[in-house]
Amino acid sequence: MTFFSETKQLPPDSLLQLITEFRNDPSPDKIDLGVGVYQDEHGKTPIFEAVELAQRRLQTDEDSKTYLGPLGWPGFADEVRKLVLGEVLEEKLAGRFAVLPTPGGSGALKSAGTLVQRLNPSAKIRLPDPTWANHKPIFLSCDLETVTYAYYDNEATSLDREKMYADLAAAQSGDIIVVHGNCHNPTGEDLSAEDWKFLTDLALEKGIVPFIDIAYQGLGQGFHEDMAHVRSLLESVPEAILCYSFSKNMGLYRERVGAALVMTENADMAERVQSNLNEIARRTYSMPPSYGAALAWYLLSDPDLNASWRKELEQLRKRVVSLRAQVTDALSSEFGDNRFQYITAQNGMFSRLPLTPEQINRFKTESSIYMAGDGRVNMCGFTPAKIARFTENMSSVLK
Ligand SMILES: Cc1ncc(COP(=O)(O)O)c(C=O)c1O
């Protein structure tokens, strides 16, 4: 027996496997609705023009590759806090924040989860059902217990509100409630103003900590609109945790740019939390990658690059909104009813189709139309021609 001889073979990630199956499918008409990234009408995930300009600026400006420490690229952490808070709250709340730049939003979730475990090892992490597939594994890797709360009714294609409120009300002081800031992944169904108010009241009454995962700012209702509920909550509660990802809204996926932000009751607590976050970084990856954070910093702090980025992001958002409307229209005229209206009403790239695993498999094997195993489809996978073929298939599978 050798050291590695007993290593178990783990199953491949189901979405990565889907990508491979799609790649190997020889059909010229194949449609990929399974991907988790933004794609343009040619199936390409483009580099933002503002990012290209920032790359050139960085090439000239950067004169060393020496270590930068746990906060990484100078000024990035402050810019992220300002972005999250917006001008008005920045003045009121900045002093209560600790910010840790991280390798992507995933790194933020891991660092924040580690902090939670350090402060309250028996905290229950309450996750929406369903949620992004990596939430549970990341929190489990922090030695935390996860439980779910009802979120989405797949048959009704809407929030399971009554059950959600009952499940959330069961949370105990010191528990963590994870919510998606906007563009819920995988359903596209977001919390309403009333739901955010319910969460705020719960935090105030019971001492639970809201944990907000923001991965799609600017891809839902609009750049500021997407943060409105988050900001109202921050204004009212004493403490909160936020994880931010720039993968989607700056297209910086592989550069791994994100941040964990912790709002405490006062500046003294924020300083102590900051020292813990810095130490958590030190003992895992030591310090964050700076290349992507520097690019994000240019886009956030330079007025011209900021305007260019926001304009391009808005074009991406509008394309997604338009695809939602086109898919809804096509399905509505095919089925002659309003059952797919929810697709237009939801936010971001993803929606879930109310299909059984067998039906999802039929799409793949009979028509080379690929979607995630839970029926999640990415709107960016559609073009007008693909919508027509998809609609025909929906008809033959569902009617
Ligand atoms: C809800 C949610 N949170 C976090 C992330 C993490 O993104 P990344 O680690 O690539 O920045 C994603 C990515 O798909 C996501 O959908």
Side-chain angles (χ1 to χ4, degrees):
M1 195 167 77
T2 61
F3 187 76
F4 294 113
S5 58
E6 299 305 299
T7 316
K8 287 198 184 75
Q9 178 66 45
L10 298 179
D13 180 279
S14 61
L15 274 179
L16 296 184
Q17 182 161 8
L18 197 72
I19 292 171
T20 311
E21 282 179 46
F22 178 80
R23 208 176 284 143
N24 296 338
D25 186 334
S27 163
D29 295 327
K30 60 186 177 180
I31 301 177
D32 185 6
L33 304 175
V35 284
V37 299
Y38 177 85
Q39 289 185 337
D40 64 17
E41 60 275 31
H42 310 294
K44 202 166 177 276
T45 302
I47 300 178
F48 280 63
E49 263 173 54
V51 168
E52 282 184 352
L53 291 171
Q55 294 195 117
R56 276 181 234 146
R57 291 268 296 270
L58 183 58
Q59 179 103 40
T60 320
D61 293 351
E62 194 176 42
D63 60 1
S64 173
K65 293 284 185 194
T66 188
Y67 291 128
L68 285 169
L71 296 187
W73 187 260
F76 171 74
D78 285 341
E79 288 300 332
V80 179
R81 190 197 57 243
K82 285 191 223 162
L83 173 71
V84 165
L85 288 177
E87 254 173 55
V88 178
L89 286 193
E90 166 70 8
E91 270 201 26
K92 281 198 203 166
L93 301 178
R96 287 168 51 193
F97 268 78
V99 185
L100 185 73
T102 51
S106 304
L109 289 160
K110 174 72 181 175
S111 302
T114 307
L115 179 74
V116 169
Q117 205 278 343
R118 184 175 279 192
L119 298 175
N120 181 12
S122 56
K124 279 197 175 78
I125 306 291
R126 297 179 180 268
L127 297 167
D129 178 20
T131 193
W132 180 47
N134 273 357
H135 275 151
K136 186 172 171 182
I138 291 176
F139 289 115
L140 289 181
S141 81
C142 300
D143 285 332
L144 286 162
E145 185 189 348
T146 64
V147 291
T148 57
Y149 62 87
Y151 187 81
Y152 192 66
D153 182 335
N154 220 25
E155 271 177 36
T157 61
S158 62
L159 271 192
D160 203 348
R161 190 162 273 116
E162 225 173 279
K163 274 202 198 150
M164 177 173 78
Y165 283 8
D167 284 355
L168 289 180
Q172 308 283 323
S173 168
D175 280 357
I176 306 288
I177 294 182
V178 176
V179 292
H180 297 221
N182 70 320
C183 302
H184 180 270
N185 181 4
T187 67
E189 186 75 27
D190 285 341
L191 298 175
S192 68
E194 290 71 35
D195 302 330
W196 281 93
K197 173 84 172 57
F198 181 86
L199 183 66
T200 304
D201 291 345
L202 204 62
L204 290 169
E205 279 163 27
K206 289 207 165 182
I208 57 100
V209 183
F211 187 123
I212 307 164
D213 188 11
I214 304 164
Y216 300 93
Q217 184 186 357
L219 284 161
Q221 304 263 322
F223 194 71
H224 291 301
E225 290 84 345
D226 288 347
M227 294 301 287
H229 298 311
V230 175
R231 288 177 185 152
S232 322
L233 175 125
L234 292 177
E235 215 174 353
S236 310
V237 298
E239 301 176 316
I241 299 170
L242 302 102
C243 290
Y244 198 102
S245 166
F246 288 101
S247 298
K248 311 280 157 67
N249 68 0
M250 288 192 181
L252 287 172
Y253 307 86
R254 67 175 69 161
E255 301 300 352
R256 314 306 301 132
V257 194
L261 301 95
V262 179
M263 185 176 79
T264 63
E265 274 190 286
N266 56 46
D268 172 57
M269 275 185 213
E271 200 178 321
R272 284 182 276 139
V273 167
Q274 185 73 58
S275 71
N276 276 266
L277 287 172
N278 293 358
E279 197 260 352
I280 286 165
R282 185 72 179 142
R283 61 166 60 190
T284 45
Y285 53 85
S286 187
M287 49 194 81
S290 81
Y291 184 78
L295 301 177
W297 174 79
Y298 282 108
L299 267 56
L300 293 171
S301 62
D302 180 285
D304 291 339
L305 290 179
N306 188 265
S308 159
W309 166 53
R310 295 267 301 276
K311 197 170 152 205
E312 214 173 331
L313 178 59
E314 181 60 9
Q315 282 164 4
L316 262 58
R317 189 187 76 80
K318 284 198 171 134
R319 175 160 176 270
V320 171
V321 169
S322 152
L323 285 165
R324 283 189 173 280
Q326 291 173 49
V327 172
T328 306
D329 286 352
L331 290 171
S332 301
S333 55
E334 178 70 27
F335 284 81
D337 58 38
N338 280 336
R339 78 180 92 162
F340 293 103
Q341 206 57 41
Y342 74 94
I343 294 176
T344 294
Q346 291 176 340
N347 294 313
M349 298 189 293
F350 307 120
S351 273
R352 240 187 184 188
L353 298 173
L355 299 172
T356 63
E358 292 72 36
Q359 289 167 330
I360 292 166
N361 201 41
R362 271 186 67 193
F363 268 92
K364 182 170 76 177
T365 51
E366 293 173 16
S367 320
S368 294
I369 297 176
Y370 291 74
M371 59 186 88
D374 62 356
R376 187 190 81 170
V377 290
N378 184 341
M379 297 296 144
C380 302
F382 287 114
T383 58
K386 286 177 181 170
I387 290 174
R389 204 164 84 73
F390 165 78
T391 306
E392 278 166 30
N393 277 273
M394 281 291 275
S395 190
S396 67
V397 168
L398 282 182
K399 271 186 186 167

